[in-house]
Amino acid sequence: MAACRRVQLFLLLIFISDWICSGQGGKPPSLDDEHAPDNIDRAKNPAGEGKAAAVDGAPVAWRSGGWKLAEEAACREDVSKICPKHSWNNNLAVLECLQDRKDELEIGADCNHLLWNYKLNLTTDPKFESVAVEVCKSTISGIKECAAEERGKGYLVSCLVDHRTNISEYQCNQYITKMTSIIFSDYRLICGFMDKCKDDINKLRCGSVNTGEKDVHSQGEVIACLEKGLVTEAEEQPGQYTIKEDCKKAIMRVAELSSDDFHLDRHLYFVCRDDRERFCENTPAGEGKVYKCLFNHKFEESMSDKCKDALSTRQKLIAQDYKVSYSLAKACKPDLRKYRCNMDTAMPRAREAKLSYLLLCLESAVHRGQTVSGECQGEMLDYRRMLMEDYSLSPEIVLHCRGEIETHCSGLHHKGRTLHCLMRVSRDKGILEGHCQKALQTLIQETDPGADYRIDRALNEACESVIQTACKHIRNGDPMILSCLMEHLYTDKMVEDCEHRLLELQYFISRDWKLDPILYKKCQNDAARICHTHGWNETSEFMPPGAVFSCLYRHAYRTEMQGRRGSSESSEVSLEELSRDCKTEVQRILHQRALDVKLDPELQQRCMTDLGKWCSEKTEPGQELECLQDHLEDLVSVCRDVVGNLTELESEDIQIEALLIRACEPVIQSHCHEVADNQIDTGDLMECLVANKHQKEMNEKCAVGVTHFQLIQMKDFRFSYKFKMACKEDVLKLCPNIKKKVDVVICLSTTVRNDTLQEVKDQRVSMKCRKQLRVEELEMSEDIRLEPDLYESCRQDIKQHCQNVVFGNAQVIECLKENKKLLTQHCHQKLFRLQETEMIDPELDFQLMRVCKQMIRRFCTETDAKNMLQCLKQNKNSELMDPKCKQMITKRQITQNTDYRLNPVLRKACKADIPKFCQSILNKAKDDSELEGQVISCLKLKYADQRLSPDCEDQIRVILQESALDYRLDPQLQLQCNEEIPRLCAEEVAAQEQTGQVEECLKVNLLKISHEGCKKEVLNILKESKADIFVDPVLHTACALDIKHQCAAIPPGRGRQMSCLMEALQDKRVRLQPECKKRLQDRIDMWGYAAKVAPAEGFSDLAGQVFLSPAKNYILSILLTCVLVLFLMGLLCGRITKRVTQELKNRKLDQPWATPLQKDRTVHSY
């Protein structure tokens, strides 16, 4: 300010008179001493001349007279070389031309010194403000801020410069515009600046305050150096010098005053002059337009490094004080005033000026539904994009993320890629409490890219092709674009780069519910009412941003809060429910979070250790959550709770599993579209998917996903929403402390069965639970893995015998059944129990129900589920029976015949006969292992002896008839003759006609059978055939006509029709069919041989053989003759014995003395 006081008063008078009179001559200032007042006094006041020259209406005569810079010897050569001739008569035009010259054009030192004195005279005297007062008199009175400025300190001109857009007076506007370019050409010309920043300039070594040591170009660099020092200080670089507060204000004031025209930032003007011509040639100066244009091209490859650096410094200043951006300050001034964004007394004044505070305040107003002008919103969008493009504009990130940038993200300072690299590092590391993480989270809130994806340039460029194809129906810039991109994550339309950028951004958006503008809009009232939240840019210790969404989703799915883990917390939750719109948005967010475990902050935080321990190799989409569910029992308690709650949530609304729903889209459209269209899913969709798991539309991904969810449900009955809701009270009452679903199902099923068997009037299990229990039992029968106890017991057997068999469709269970003789004892026992259950309730036999589905509809529509197999057996030989179903029925018959316990109908019918006739076999039997048909063979023999009860006899007759047609239904025959059948009857076995040909072959080759056990079984078949001709299908077929003609009136059973045919064979008057006659004769021979080989084991067997023998009349007559002879002999012997006895008595009576003597002898003998 010392130089300001050296200007004499009459200079001002000369200037005023010159300005008024339009021109008088004078001598130029002396070049010998810039501080000599006498020399300056003799100079023509340049301000006045500049003013006159600036006015277009000035007379030409004035322009040709007076002192001119172009005519001075020190500058004449430079002016003629650099400046156009038409500007020589205008001193200010010459001044502007010389100071705006290109770098390669140098001017002489004397000319430079002359220019300095010329500008100094214009600016250094405090009385200079009087000129502005005279020129801008009415303007100053109209601008309150300028009228209130203290005079004599140079602030009036600064105020007029600040408000020059509001200056309507033409002459005042022109005067201020020209003075602005002069003032900002050299920091020493700005009144008050040098006094405030002199020490800081020297400390930072930004240049010398001594005039003349720096040329005009380097003087702009002094301010640039101070600005760089200011922004570096904000980044808290190690060892950084702290600029004094007065100088800081002066620097920011200079930056603010130069925000209108980029010419005023001399350093930036010079370093970016070529870039301006390259990128912004058609952009007019003023209103900060050139700045914005250069900002937009900052990352162009052809942009010079010096210009990039200068632009970054300017942007950092804007970040510290939004008023450094002329366009932003102008556009948002009314809105800032309207929403009191600079009236927060709780904030320090410095923060109110920060760009981040402005953005948060106005964004909060927008999110509250209040109106912010379109011009202001446009400016906000530009600067939000600017912050996202360049991480260095955010001091907190530079400070706290320095290590991560150096280690992971060096060299990526391009179009927001560094920020996304930091996001990726934070996402991969999961550092939830790190300072870098917090700085990134703060930046995301300030820029709010969730509201407009275009703010994130890296995301915008990476996802442009996806948006054009998958989201073209959504308006450009709409918040739903991000949601649309998430919906197409991991689809064919998604590209890899977009996928990465999207997940990196969503990782941070998911940690603050306010950053999803749609969710915030729909749920802000619910959140305030239920979760006690505050404004958009306000936080609370008691309800941090991450906890708000948890609060919302607990209320969105509050139908059964008491069933969830953490019931103590749930019990305190308000009973208020969310609005429909809010619940829809909560569901949308949950669907998105299910795509990646890292998008669920609570899950990632609590399960970080378990994710590293169990799931480090699970990198595919959705695998991490599946892995956690698979290891549910192994997780730490806090992780187990959150995974359990999420799994319960999925069971209620499986559409949360977006990847699964996407994979199952074909089957949903074909079979489950009705339940999928329901706005509220209550487990119906998953139930439908399970029911249609084996439809042709079901692809492998969907089937695997559905099966996995079924397996997870086995871990806890609460993971099955419908089952939990239907049976919750029953479980608490009848099966307390039981957690695993399979155990709960067994517990409830056992209760239902016991109540049914005991014919209890009021069953303990409720009707709705019984219905859902049935659904669960049917679902469990489809895959052995859904029977954990059986699966664990047979895991080794599956690996050994069924390694290539695919799970599902009960194929592994079927494989074990086919290899049951090779299974380990434990597995065999478990499988036997399963088969016993299936035979009692055939509907649980998944393979049977699946293969015979159509046949059940055809033959057994009205049959009870428990009698389904019986119905199928009765229709097995129908011409309409499907071959595959027939084969499956045969398999089940073979299984039933191995053990009477697997045939519920037989077991019930022969309840009294089995212990009566087959107790010895039962005594040797072991639990849970087949008796290999021994009991049934025992009953067959008793059937031949006609000793069974009527009900049991009927069932055995059916078994005999069926096994006579197919030898495989006779387990003992197959067991004993497993070597003889292939040797003697290979052709019959290969024919697979199931018409009794194998049995007939064995009968015919009875003499060739060497195995005694096999021979005995064949003899038993022959014996059984005597009891009923139906047991001998070959003979029955051959004699069908003869039975119809000769034995029509004789009922079948007990050998009656067989005896009829034998009598007809003996009767010469009856002519039987040749084939029948031949077969009967063969049977007689076989029986004769059987009698020789296997004599009767008892009287009953002997009597049976006699009565069934064709020569029974002859045998009976012989036996009768023998009995008669024996009777006569008995009579004869009896009469003789009676006579001898009488004679002895008479003899004793004739010799009475002999009696005492005899007695005495007897006594003496003792």
Side-chain angles (χ1 to χ4, degrees), residues 236-261:
E236 299 184 25
Q237 300 283 0
Q240 178 61 38
Y241 169 76
T242 302
I243 299 175
K244 293 184 299 184
E245 286 300 320
D246 287 344
C247 185
K248 286 181 182 178
K249 292 179 181 178
I251 294 170
M252 298 305 294
R253 184 66 172 168
V254 169
E256 180 183 343
L257 293 175
S258 63
S259 64
D260 179 20
D261 190 343

Side-chain angles (χ1 to χ4, degrees), residues 869-931:
L869 179 58
Q870 196 69 15
C871 171
L872 290 171
K873 285 159 60 174
Q874 292 170 359
N875 294 276
K876 173 184 171 182
N877 296 316
S878 170
E879 294 179 357
L880 300 176
M881 177 59 68
D882 177 64
K884 290 183 179 179
C885 180
K886 185 176 182 178
Q887 185 178 4
M888 182 59 65
I889 296 169
T890 301
K891 285 184 179 181
R892 296 301 178 260
Q893 287 179 297
I894 293 172
T895 300
Q896 283 189 326
N897 289 348
T898 58
D899 197 304
Y900 77 98
R901 290 170 292 184
L902 300 179
N903 190 334
V905 179
L906 175 67
R907 187 175 185 176
K908 182 178 180 181
C910 300
K911 186 177 181 180
D913 300 87
I914 291 173
K916 180 179 179 180
F917 300 112
C918 311
Q919 187 62 47
S920 60
I921 299 174
L922 297 180
N923 293 337
K924 299 176 183 178
K926 296 180 180 179
D927 293 337
D928 305 328
S929 60
E930 291 88 340
L931 296 172

